[in-house]
């Protein structure tokens, strides 16, 4: 699909938007401005969750290996790295637009394990999409559904090893999302790590 091609770097964001918009018009809809289509399909931009950044930093400081496995277009890949101190938080970054493989393809999970030097059974995979979690589970990883970064961060802070609360200096997070569910403190993740 065009989405797969965009996220694996075969086409750029402009081509992705052009193709989807052309199909929309070919299906009998009124033409739509490409920039309007882009903002509807891709959104206003990314934000980072300060609680999640702190939790990942704590996990790494406690000795856990950390990784990012993205499904993202090349331009957006550059954008997210500007939001957080990625090199301070993650041992490795597996970017679908660079590697040419994306979640839920088992090759993406294998790439993470190989580069981290770990067995899938040693991994906790956190994601907001059920199909990615099912694929990671089938690959042998433990999984955590993230419908709220704040709640998922709380779960990460309760991993079995003792985590240090004093993280020392860490580069700032540029934007912090506010979600009604997080403000209400709703529990929405599925894995109990206690």
């Amino acid at each position: 699909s065009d989405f797969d091609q965009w996220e694996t770097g075969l086409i750029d964001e402009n081509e992705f938007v052009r193709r989807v918009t052309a199909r929309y018009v070919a299906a009998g809809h009124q033409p739509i401005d490409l920039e309007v289509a882009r903002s509807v399909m891709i959104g206003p931009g990314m934000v980072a969750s300060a609680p999640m950044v702190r939790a990942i930093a704590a996990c790494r400081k406690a000795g856990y290996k950390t990784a990012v496995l993205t499904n993202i277009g090349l331009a957006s890949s550059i954008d997210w790295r500007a939001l957080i101190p990625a090199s301070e938080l993650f041992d490795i970054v597996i970017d679908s637009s660079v590697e040419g493989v994306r979640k839920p393809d088992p090759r993406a999970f294998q790439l993470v394990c190989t580069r981290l030097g770990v067995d899938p059974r040693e991994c906790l995979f956190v994601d907001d999409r059920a199909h990615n979690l099912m694929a990671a589970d089938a690959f042998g990883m433990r999984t955590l559904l993230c419908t709220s970064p704040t709640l998922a961060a709380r779960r990460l802070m309760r991993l079995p090893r003792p985590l240090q609360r004093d993280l020392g200096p860490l580069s700032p997070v540029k934007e912090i999302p506010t979600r009604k569910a997080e403000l209400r403190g709703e529990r929405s993740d599925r894995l109990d790590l206690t």
Side-chain angles (χ1 to χ4, degrees):
S1 77
D2 294 332
F3 197 71
D4 292 335
Q5 290 184 3
W6 174 50
E7 286 190 338
T8 55
L10 296 175
I11 61 174
D12 66 14
E13 184 176 296
N14 292 330
E15 180 63 13
F16 168 71
V17 171
R18 189 197 65 71
R19 287 181 183 186
V20 172
T21 305
R23 272 200 312 284
Y24 180 79
V25 172
H29 300 285
Q30 292 295 318
I32 185 170
D33 179 78
L34 290 178
E35 289 310 309
V36 170
R38 180 185 320 279
S39 97
V40 168
M41 289 186 287
I42 298 171
M46 294 181 211
V47 294
S49 167
M52 185 61 83
V53 168
R54 285 191 296 272
I56 294 167
C59 288
R60 191 164 188 211
K61 187 171 184 174
Y64 288 100
K65 293 181 180 181
T66 58
V68 170
L69 174 58
T70 71
N71 279 1
I72 200 162
L74 188 56
S76 298
S77 176
I78 295 164
D79 293 344
W80 79 261
R81 290 172 191 254
L83 294 176
I84 61 171
S87 64
E88 295 174 41
L89 294 172
F90 304 106
D91 295 292
I92 62 165
V93 174
I94 305 292
D95 186 328
S96 64
S97 64
V98 173
E99 301 295 340
V101 62
R102 65 192 285 272
K103 302 172 283 187
D105 187 324
R107 293 176 300 167
F109 303 119
Q110 183 61 58
L111 197 54
V112 170
C113 291
T114 299
R115 291 201 184 154
L116 282 178
V118 299
D119 185 271
R121 294 170 294 192
E122 298 175 283
C123 297
L124 174 64
F125 177 74
V126 181
D127 202 274
D128 61 345
R129 305 209 180 247
H131 66 279
N132 291 336
L133 293 169
M134 289 187 291
D137 182 69
F139 188 71
M141 296 176 168
R142 293 186 63 192
T143 63
L144 172 63
L145 175 63
C146 177
T147 57
S148 161
T150 300
L151 294 173
R154 285 185 201 147
R155 295 288 189 205
L156 290 176
M157 294 299 285
R158 292 183 11 216
L159 286 170
R161 287 166 131 173
L163 300 179
Q164 303 295 322
R165 294 290 179 194
D166 176 21
L167 302 178
L170 185 67
S171 302
V173 174
K174 303 248 186 316
E175 295 181 59
I176 301 169
T178 56
R179 295 170 119 173
K180 289 180 185 177
E182 288 179 25
L183 295 175
R184 289 191 305 263
E186 292 178 1
R187 181 176 173 194
S188 54
D189 48 338
R190 305 287 186 255
L191 179 64
D192 186 2
L193 295 175
T194 56

